Amino acid sequence: MENKFNIIWYNELDSTNSEALRHIDDFDNLSVIAARCQSKGRGQRGNRWFSAPGENLTFSIVLKPGADGLRKISVRDYFDLNRVSSLSVVSFLSILGVDASVKWPNDIYVKNRKISGILIENSLAGEEIASSVIGIGINLNQTDFPELSNATSVRLATGSSISVEDALVLFCKEFGKTISLLGSNSLSETYEEKLFQKGRLCRYSDYIRDREYDGIIKGVTESGRLIVKEGEEERTYAFKEIGYIL
Ligand code: BTN
């Protein structure tokens, strides 16, 4: 899978995810839509994704499970795409000398700061994922984040800059390796090893019960729910049911 990515660079797009979704039928499996500048970068929960033009990676990978030997992915296993994407970012960053972890469900953190965010948008056909647009923003060379208080970048973490073009080629190599783990146990195992705050007593906000508590992340279920233990009681959470208090 390593050499089949087709990287398409645009100087400016509203959002690489939006562009990929608009033309999903025209893009082949493993097309990578990359923009030097996004005018309306989209984040989770309808938020904006801010990124200084030309300094960072903002791109979307089009996946068409079932094409080119890529295994089909059932809707039940959709969280595996979060695992693949998150771990690809973590291993890409590790090559650049940055030790990062996966803040479930969609963020990549360096210590207590966010370096990357992921927005996956799937189209379904019955019980299977027909296509997936995996949108990833990775802060590379930006050192000043006026809109954000907890952001960091490769440059801030290591002191070194990297060209966005070279970085994307490197990222795709890591993504190619990681996606080959789909369907194997080592995908979940490696994901668990990289989980932010796992095994440590930390404070969380439970949005279902409307309370804060000190708990320990134990892992993530196969279907992608976060497992947190408070004393002897273990609970699992879906997206948006729990918040981290950092
Ligand atoms: C988040 O942390 O809220 C997710 C951010 C995802 C941002 C990336 S940048 C490339 C792609 N295009 C978008 O509009 N969003 C994603």
Side-chain angles (χ1 to χ4, degrees):
M1 179 102 48
E2 269 181 62
N3 298 318
K4 293 195 188 149
F5 292 91
N6 179 24
I7 300 178
I8 309 160
W9 273 103
Y10 296 78
N11 277 336
E12 182 169 342
L13 286 174
D14 52 352
S15 146
T16 58
N17 267 38
S18 301
E19 177 70 6
L21 289 170
R22 277 193 294 266
H23 302 291
I24 192 73
D25 292 339
D26 303 329
F27 288 122
D28 292 332
N29 181 45
L30 298 186
S31 297
V32 182
I33 320 310
R36 295 188 176 82
C37 170
Q38 289 190 129
S39 54
K40 275 193 198 146
R42 296 193 285 114
Q44 295 288 334
R45 300 181 206 90
N47 289 329
R48 288 284 303 275
W49 179 257
F50 295 104
S51 180
E55 297 197 11
N56 304 315
L57 278 180
T58 49
F59 62 96
S60 302
I61 301 178
V62 173
L63 284 189
K64 299 201 169 167
D68 303 332
L70 176 59
R71 59 192 293 142
K72 291 189 173 178
I73 303 173
S74 109
V75 173
R76 248 189 350 266
D77 297 329
Y78 85 98
F79 194 75
D80 280 344
L81 291 178
N82 288 57
R83 291 187 173 97
V84 167
S85 313
S86 304
L87 288 178
S88 304
V89 176
V90 168
S91 61
F92 160 78
L93 289 171
S94 147
I95 291 171
L96 298 181
V98 180
D99 185 22
S101 56
V102 182
K103 179 167 170 278
W104 175 94
N106 293 301
D107 295 339
I108 308 300
Y109 265 52
V110 176
K111 300 203 178 81
N112 273 10
R113 291 188 177 270
K114 180 164 170 170
I115 194 163
S116 168
I118 299 169
L119 177 66
I120 301 179
E121 298 182 285
N122 295 319
S123 309
L124 310 182
E127 288 302 298
E128 280 171 4
I129 295 179
S131 64
S132 180
V133 171
I134 300 179
I136 303 181
I138 308 176
N139 298 331
L140 293 182
N141 303 316
Q142 189 171 350
T143 51
D144 198 23
F145 293 90
E147 295 93 350
L148 306 160
S149 57
N150 77 329
T152 191
S153 66
V154 170
R155 173 88 191 274
L156 285 174
T158 65
S160 305
S161 300
I162 178 168
S163 94
V164 290
E165 288 84 2
D166 290 351
L168 189 50
V169 171
L170 187 60
F171 176 86
C172 288
K173 283 206 180 108
E174 291 315 297
F175 190 92
K177 286 183 209 160
T178 315
I179 203 166
S180 69
L181 300 178
L182 265 179
S184 75
N185 287 342
S186 71
L187 182 62
S188 319
E189 285 163 11
T190 318
Y191 183 85
E192 299 276 322
E193 282 165 20
K194 295 291 172 188
L195 210 48
F196 182 68
Q197 293 188 349
K198 185 176 173 193
R200 283 165 38 204
L201 189 67
C202 297
R203 199 149 183 83
Y204 298 95
S205 190
D206 182 323
Y207 300 137
I208 304 170
R209 296 163 190 85
D210 195 21
R211 62 186 283 270
E212 292 182 3
Y213 68 94
D214 294 317
I216 298 177
I217 290 182
K218 305 302 281 184
V220 173
T221 67
E222 263 318 296
S223 67
R225 292 172 71 90
L226 187 71
I227 308 164
V228 187
K229 197 163 182 185
E230 179 186 17
E232 288 310 303
E233 193 178 343
E234 208 165 85
R235 304 185 194 101
T236 72
Y237 295 90
F239 297 177
K240 302 177 193 169
E241 291 180 350
I242 185 166
Y244 297 71
I245 300 174
L246 299 179

